[in-house]
Every structure is written in structure tokens, then in C-alpha cells.
Amino acid sequence: MLTDWMQLAVTRAKKAGVATYQNPQVGAVLVKDGQVLAQGYHHYFGGDHAEVDVLRQVTSEQAKDATLVVTLEPCSHYGKTPPCCERIVQAGIRKVVIGQLDPHPVVGGKGCQYLLDHDVAVVTGCLAKEVRALNPHYNHFYTHQRPWVTLKTAMSLDGKTNAAGDARTLISNQASYADSQRLRSQFQAILIGERTLTIDDPQLTVRLLAMTHPPVRLIVLNTSAVARDRRILQETTGETWLLCRQASASDASLQALPNVEVRIGDWTPAAISELCLQHGWQSLLVEGGAHLQADFVAANLIDEWVSYIAPTMIGGAGLPAVMGAVPTEQLAFEQPTLKWLGTDLRLRAVRKGVE
Amino acid sequence: MLTDWMQLAVTRAKKAGVATYQNPQVGAVLVKDGQVLAQGYHHYFGGDHAEVDVLRQVTSEQAKDATLVVTLEPCSHYGKTPPCCERIVQAGIRKVVIGQLDPHPVVGGKGCQYLLDHDVAVVTGCLAKEVRALNPHYNHFYTHQRPWVTLKTAMSLDGKTNAAGDARTLISNQASYADSQRLRSQFQAILIGERTLTIDDPQLTVRLLAMTHPPVRLIVLNTSAVARDRRILQETTGETWLLCRQASASDASLQALPNVEVRIGDWTPAAISELCLQHGWQSLLVEGGAHLQADFVAANLIDEWVSYIAPTMIGGAGLPAVMGAVPTEQLAFEQPTLKWLGTDLRLRAVRKGVE
């Protein structure tokens, strides 16, 4: 029964999709005498937590002595909302069943402790795997203090992303394009290199979905001058960060643009990862090019690989998906998962042992 | 009913597997009064044709006025055995249902004509697609007067076959290894380049299967000297052809070895294809390396791509599966078919429009 209720909570949690942004997806179910009284979830970033969403639906009489089944440990601190633990104790809940302890250092374990200190029974670890799968990026970010990094590429059967030369080669079909937009929407930051900027001139927006918090766009450049007159700076609904290796005369004028940041530094993968940590960007999608991908592989800062494979062959002079810096060893991944996108194939593999 | 019987004939045909070698797989069913009297197939290269295998199982009384359902047009010439058409007419068969006309120039259409000339009713094109799929290499060879060419590679998620340097990188798992042996058994010739010979020192044998006609091993080399002391020359159950760009002092001694041929020439993909045509090798498996694969792609002499993809990442300095010569355009393939081999993935795609 507990696992059935937790499954219900997991299902509710997913309804929010990416709207919870830097908050985790959380679902909750209130149960009494074997009956489900209410189901709720965290709807959007800044909105009520799942526990509050559930308690709102019942009378104080109903809530008293009930069991709360919730996917994530209830919070015990004043964040955007008052702590859920206080509400739970005030409501007279007798038992709380928790799917996963919160890896967030401000919460982790303290919510449980608060409940136990106030004579609420606590059960943890229910349906742990399904619950953890709700928030892989959030869990990873707070467990390892660095963003979840996914490398994404669109390639031919022979592993090439572009034909020889400076023109952009179209490889993927429309279904892959739409899917890669959905993928992009699941990340809080997107990264490209200078060559991708100049050859593709992308907007790096999530055009097919309306997003309250679009991913921050990061571009590694030699100098900011290259970014002038690019389409990415005309699109101001999200932030664009120009990560430049050298200062340039154009820095000040670009910095003055709305939603544009210019930063000078030695932008190694570790430095970019650290930037994400500082700003709370829990997930980073590295879209290319080949050298940037190779830098992340060599730095051992890669948690997932997604490739869109089109039934085409580019041949001998094509640009490989990953080219440049050399890792010290092969990196092992879990068995890939596959999805057909028309005649294209999406192959997705998570780094072995990553969580 | 006709298609049911033809399906039965197709199923029988497959029982021979690769034992038919340069002959096609053929199945036959003898039917009378709606009842199947006998089922047969071509068992092995040089053995009885399917029609004979079927007629052997019945009395002359039974055969008279019966219908013969056969996947391939009966032969009308004296080859390794007397022509089946004569046998069919002598047996008093009233009707022959044929899956596919024989693309072999000596037979094509003549078998049908012989039967019609002798007052046997003929139906053609029954279950054409399934029947043609029995012998894709045979059909291709005689239709286009060149071998079916499959490029095979074992690669990482990022499309690399080897790490940097001269050592061999192990990528695939045991299940992929076994599957690639089965793949190899389906080809009449296997081709590698000089670097693959020197780095991998392969035997290019089908070790997991006993084969009466193992594939001929072709190696493109600058000079034959490189091949001395390689394992491939110690393995003499099949032929090894050293395709050298330049003559060398070692040519004569190597040519004197059992089952070794040395040929000097400009071994372009077209020249290799022509060699296969001359010797009746209907199918060619190009196993690598990267430059040889690129040559075949650029020459537009590729009918199929097979890659074994392992859940690993080799990274920036790895050798791409295809590298070198540039094709004039992207080549289009049909939607790939997939097979899991443990945690490895086999991806197989046929050139668009190839038959």
C-alpha cells in the first residue's frame, strides 16, 4: 500500500514538468484509514510546496492523525515559503512516508529530525529509485556540488556532425529537431563554443515551448567581439553569458545590453562547472562544437551523452562529434536507451555509476 | 494459398544458411489437390537444387500434374547439375509458381521460357519481397555486376574505433564479437587495409563456425613485405590475397605459400570491386581501417553499414570510424535496424534504394 501511494505521489510530481525550475519536482498524497484524502504537487518555482498543496485540500479534522506520503523530505527552513515541517506538525499529521531525503545541504536530514523531534513517525526510502529519477539534475547538483553535464550531438552513421568546410551541414530531421528542443528545455544552462556560434549562428532558445525560466546561454569565446551582430544577442528573453578568454574593446558595450553578461577568464570545463555551481544552474547541456565536447570528456566532467543519429553518411573529411583534448582513459556508460524519431535514432547513455 | 506455400518454401530455403555459398538459397514445395506432397531446399553448394530435392521425395505418379512452388526461377542450363527445367517437364508438373526470376545472366528468364515452351503454366512474383530477401548479395551481384559491399566498424558512443596511438583499443563486448563472426560468415570476401593488419594482426577467420567456404581475405598493402610473419598467413584454411600497390622482393616467396596470392596494381575501391566480380565473390565486408572505409564511401561503393556501438567514450584524439577521402555528397540510408548485444548495440542500415 505504501508503495502504491508513493507511486501516486510520483505521478503527481511529474505533472509540473520543468516549471519547478531550480526546485525539485515533488508530489504528495494524504491518506487516512487506508483512503486517499488528497493528492498534490509542487506546481511551479516559487509556488506552494507539495505538502501545502495537499493540506489545502482537506479540513483540519481530516488532516489530524493522517499519513502524509511525500516524494521528498519536507523542508525545515524558511525559503520562498515557510517550512513544511511546521505545517505538518501543526496539522497533527501522525506519520510521514518519505521517498528520498533532500540532498540540499540546507534541508538534508533536518526535516526528518524536526518531525521526529515533534513525535511524528517517519518512514524513509519508499520507492527510492522511482523517486530519485524525478530529479536527477537536482540530486546530482547537491550531492556532488557541480552541475549535471550532458553532451549532445547530431551525427551521421559514421559519427560526423558536419561535412568538411565552414558551411553548416543539416543532418537531423524535424522530429529530432523537436525532440532536441524538449531536451534543451530540461536544462538550466546551455553551452556552445565559438565555432558553433559563427557557423550555426544559433539562438539557443526553446522555441517550441513557452518557458518561464529559459536556460541561460553560455558561449565560450576568445573575445566578445565575435558575438556582435549574432542572432543570439537579439534574443533577450533569456540571459546570455559571453565567457571570453581575453578582454576586448567590445566588452563594455555588450555588457550594457539587456540580459547579457561578459566575463573574462580561463574558461576550462572546471571553471564553467564552477560558474554553474555559483549561480545554482543545476544542469548544463553542451551542444558543441567538437573541441568543447572533447574538453569536457577529457576533464571527466560528463554525466550523460545524447546523440541524434541520422541515416546518412558524411564520410572521410567530416567533423567528428568529439575532437581534440585526450582523456586519460575510456569513460564507461550505462546501456543506452533508444528512441526512434522518424528515421532518426536518439541514443542516450548515462555515465556508469552517476547519480 | 499460393502465398502460404511460398512462405513454406522461403522457410525451407533458409535452412541451408551460408552453406549454399555462391549459389542462392532456394526452397521448393510440391502441391497437389491443395495438399503439400513434399518440401525441399538447396542444401549446399554443389548439391541438388531445391526442385530436385523435392521431386526425389515423391513417386512419378504423385509428381504428375502437381504444382511446384519454388522461390527462384528453375535453371535451364547445365551447371554443376543438369537443368531443373528438364526435370520439371519430364516429371509432368502442370504449373510452376516462382517467387523471383533469376538475376543470373545465364538463367534469367530462360527457365520461365523453357517451361512455357513445354506447356507448363508459370506464375511469377509470388511473395516477391520475402523471396528477394533470401539472397540480397546474390541478387545485387548479378543485377549490378558488382559485389554487395558492407562497411563494418566497432565504435564508441562518440564514433571512434581506436584511441590515439598505435595500440589496439578493445571496444566491443563478447556478444558483439560473436555476432561479428556470424556477420563475417555471410560474406565471400573480407577486406582490410595495411594499418589494420599491422596494428590488429587479425586472422580474419570465422572461428566460431565451421565453414566449407570461408571468406577470401583481401589485404590492401603498399608492398607484400609488411605481410610476412603476420598471423593471417599462418592460417591457410582460406585464401589470402595480398593486393599490393608496389612490387617487392618478398612477392615471389609469399606467392609460393599455400592459398596465398600476390597481386600488384592500383587497388582503388573500383579495382577491388572488379576483382570480386571476376572471381564471383558476391559480397565484400570492409572491416577497416578508417581510410579504406572512407575510400569506399567516397567511391560511392557502399551498400550497407554495420556498426557495433559500445557504451564507452574514447574522446578527442580517437580515430574516427571513417576518415580520409571526401565524398561529393552525403549518402542516404534506410532506417537502421537495431539489435542489443548485451550492453552493446548493433546498428545496421542499408543504402537507400539498394537492391
Side-chain angles (χ1 to χ4, degrees):
Chain A
M1 284 303 263
L2 278 192
T3 55
D4 290 343
W5 292 326
M6 188 60 81
Q7 187 56 62
L8 207 56
V10 167
T11 306
R12 297 300 289 184
K14 288 179 181 166
K15 291 177 74 82
V18 297
T20 63
Y21 186 45
Q22 294 181 337
N23 281 351
Q25 293 182 0
V26 184
V29 169
L30 196 68
V31 179
K32 200 171 177 179
D33 303 327
Q35 300 294 315
V36 173
L37 296 181
Q39 307 174 34
Y41 64 102
H42 180 45
H43 289 241
Y44 57 89
F45 191 59
D48 282 341
H49 284 190
E51 299 90 331
V52 175
D53 189 44
V54 146
L55 289 173
R56 224 180 348 91
Q57 302 174 39
V58 295
T59 63
S60 53
E61 185 58 35
Q62 286 178 304
K64 198 167 156 41
D65 293 333
T67 293
L68 177 72
V69 178
V70 59
T71 57
L72 188 70
E73 181 182 11
C75 67
S76 58
H77 67 297
Y78 284 85
K80 294 190 190 307
T81 53
C84 291
C85 278
E86 287 184 14
R87 288 286 296 267
I88 290 167
V89 169
Q90 283 161 10
I93 300 290
R94 178 174 291 180
K95 184 161 97 172
V96 177
V97 180
I98 296 171
Q100 180 202 334
L101 293 185
D102 195 331
H104 196 301
V106 175
V107 183
K110 298 194 187 76
C112 273
Q113 196 55 52
Y114 183 96
L115 295 172
L116 290 169
D117 289 347
H118 291 79
D119 293 327
V120 179
V122 173
V123 175
T124 57
C126 176
L127 225 60
K129 195 178 162 195
E130 288 82 350
V131 164
R132 293 191 67 84
L134 284 172
N135 302 294
H137 298 171
Y138 176 89
N139 291 331
H140 185 272
F141 185 77
Y142 287 112
T143 304
H144 302 290
Q145 302 295 312
R146 64 175 183 83
W148 172 288
V149 176
T150 295
L151 267 51
K152 181 208 117 180
T153 195
M155 64 189 209
S156 57
L157 291 169
D158 54 336
K160 306 293 177 13
T161 58
N162 218 81
D166 276 344
R168 183 181 187 187
T169 306
L170 289 176
I171 295 177
S172 301
N173 64 16
Q174 276 300 313
S176 286
Y177 173 77
D179 190 86
S180 68
Q181 290 274 314
R182 279 191 293 276
L183 179 73
R184 202 177 262 175
S185 76
Q186 290 156 15
F187 286 78
Q188 291 168 19
I190 305 174
L191 177 67
I192 61 166
E194 178 164 333
R195 246 181 94 81
T196 303
L197 177 72
T198 55
I199 292 178
D200 294 1
D201 195 13
Q203 292 183 287
L204 298 184
T205 50
V206 182
R207 287 179 283 285
L208 305 180
L209 296 162
M211 292 191 75
T212 315
H213 300 93
V216 172
R217 295 165 294 188
L218 310 177
I219 310 167
V220 181
L221 298 162
N222 264 325
T223 72
S224 66
V226 179
R228 280 185 312 203
D229 307 323
R230 298 294 168 181
R231 297 201 305 156
I232 204 163
L233 295 185
Q234 294 155 24
E235 173 54 59
T236 55
T237 55
E239 291 177 32
T240 302
W241 290 58
L242 306 177
L243 308 181
C244 307
R245 296 199 187 84
Q246 296 165 35
S248 149
S250 55
D251 291 350
S253 63
L254 288 168
Q255 174 73 49
L257 291 174
N259 275 337
V260 174
E261 299 286 335
V262 180
R263 291 287 186 280
I264 316 300
D266 180 15
W267 293 110
T268 61
I272 295 166
S273 183
E274 180 64 27
L275 182 76
C276 291
L277 179 62
Q278 285 166 11
H279 292 273
W281 304 325
Q282 295 161 6
S283 50
L284 176 67
L285 184 67
V286 183
E287 297 212 8
H291 284 91
L292 196 56
Q293 308 270 34
D295 288 343
F296 273 83
V297 173
N300 212 345
L301 284 173
I302 157 172
D303 303 297
E304 187 184 32
W305 168 263
V306 178
S307 52
Y308 294 89
I309 303 177
T312 182
M313 191 152 290
I314 287 181
L319 182 69
V322 177
M323 185 173 70
V326 188
T328 53
E329 56 186 289
Q330 284 186 49
L331 311 184
F333 287 73
E334 301 288 353
Q335 179 161 334
T337 54
L338 301 171
K339 184 181 179 183
W340 283 111
L341 297 158
T343 56
D344 284 4
L345 177 69
R346 190 189 71 189
L347 188 151
R348 198 167 180 165
V350 171
R351 188 74 183 281
K352 210 160 193 167
V354 158
E355 197 176 51
Chain B
M1 282 307 262
L2 278 192
T3 54
D4 291 342
W5 292 326
M6 188 58 81
Q7 187 57 60
L8 207 55
V10 167
T11 306
R12 299 299 289 185
K14 288 179 183 168
K15 290 177 75 83
V18 298
T20 64
Y21 186 46
Q22 294 181 339
N23 281 351
Q25 292 181 2
V26 185
V29 169
L30 196 68
V31 180
K32 200 172 178 180
D33 303 326
Q35 300 294 314
V36 173
L37 296 181
Q39 307 174 34
Y41 63 101
H42 180 44
H43 289 241
Y44 56 89
F45 190 61
D48 283 342
H49 284 190
E51 299 89 331
V52 175
D53 189 43
V54 146
L55 289 172
R56 226 183 345 94
Q57 302 172 40
V58 297
T59 63
S60 55
E61 185 58 35
Q62 287 178 302
K64 196 165 156 44
D65 293 333
T67 294
L68 178 72
V69 179
V70 59
T71 56
L72 188 71
E73 180 182 12
C75 67
S76 58
H77 67 296
Y78 283 86
K80 296 190 189 305
T81 54
C84 290
C85 279
E86 286 185 13
R87 287 286 296 268
I88 290 167
V89 169
Q90 283 161 10
I93 299 290
R94 178 173 291 179
K95 182 159 97 171
V96 178
V97 180
I98 296 171
Q100 180 202 333
L101 293 186
D102 195 332
H104 195 302
V106 175
V107 182
K110 299 193 186 74
C112 273
Q113 196 55 53
Y114 183 97
L115 295 172
L116 291 169
D117 288 347
H118 291 78
D119 293 328
V120 179
V122 173
V123 175
T124 56
C126 176
L127 224 60
K129 194 177 162 196
E130 288 81 351
V131 164
R132 292 191 69 83
L134 284 172
N135 302 295
H137 299 173
Y138 176 90
N139 290 332
H140 185 271
F141 185 78
Y142 287 112
T143 305
H144 303 289
Q145 302 296 310
R146 64 174 182 83
W148 172 287
V149 177
T150 296
L151 267 49
K152 181 209 117 180
T153 195
M155 65 188 207
S156 57
L157 291 169
D158 54 335
K160 306 293 177 12
T161 59
N162 218 81
D166 276 346
R168 183 182 187 187
T169 306
L170 290 175
I171 295 177
S172 301
N173 64 17
Q174 275 300 314
S176 286
Y177 173 78
D179 190 86
S180 68
Q181 290 275 312
R182 279 191 294 276
L183 179 72
R184 201 177 264 175
S185 76
Q186 291 156 15
F187 285 78
Q188 291 168 20
I190 305 175
L191 176 67
I192 61 167
E194 179 164 332
R195 245 181 94 81
T196 302
L197 177 72
T198 55
I199 292 179
D200 294 1
D201 196 13
Q203 293 184 286
L204 297 184
T205 50
V206 183
R207 287 179 283 285
L208 304 181
L209 297 162
M211 292 192 73
T212 315
H213 300 92
V216 173
R217 294 164 295 187
L218 310 177
I219 310 168
V220 180
L221 298 162
N222 263 325
T223 73
S224 66
V226 179
R228 279 185 312 202
D229 307 323
R230 299 292 169 183
R231 299 201 304 156
I232 204 161
L233 295 185
Q234 294 155 23
E235 172 56 58
T236 55
T237 54
E239 292 177 32
T240 302
W241 290 56
L242 305 177
L243 308 180
C244 307
R245 297 199 185 85
Q246 296 165 36
S248 149
S250 56
D251 290 352
S253 62
L254 289 168
Q255 174 73 50
L257 291 174
N259 276 337
V260 174
E261 299 285 336
V262 180
R263 292 286 186 280
I264 315 298
D266 179 16
W267 293 110
T268 61
I272 294 166
S273 182
E274 180 63 27
L275 182 76
C276 290
L277 178 62
Q278 285 167 10
H279 292 272
W281 304 324
Q282 295 160 6
S283 50
L284 176 67
L285 183 66
V286 184
E287 297 212 7
H291 284 91
L292 197 56
Q293 306 271 36
D295 287 344
F296 273 83
V297 173
N300 211 346
L301 284 174
I302 157 172
D303 303 297
E304 186 183 33
W305 168 262
V306 178
S307 52
Y308 295 89
I309 303 176
T312 182
M313 191 153 288
I314 287 182
L319 183 70
V322 177
M323 184 173 71
V326 188
T328 52
E329 57 186 289
Q330 284 186 49
L331 310 184
F333 287 73
E334 302 287 353
Q335 179 161 333
T337 54
L338 302 171
K339 184 180 179 185
W340 283 112
L341 298 159
T343 56
D344 285 4
L345 178 69
R346 190 189 70 190
L347 187 152
R348 199 167 178 164
V350 171
R351 187 74 183 282
K352 211 160 192 166
V354 158
E355 196 176 53

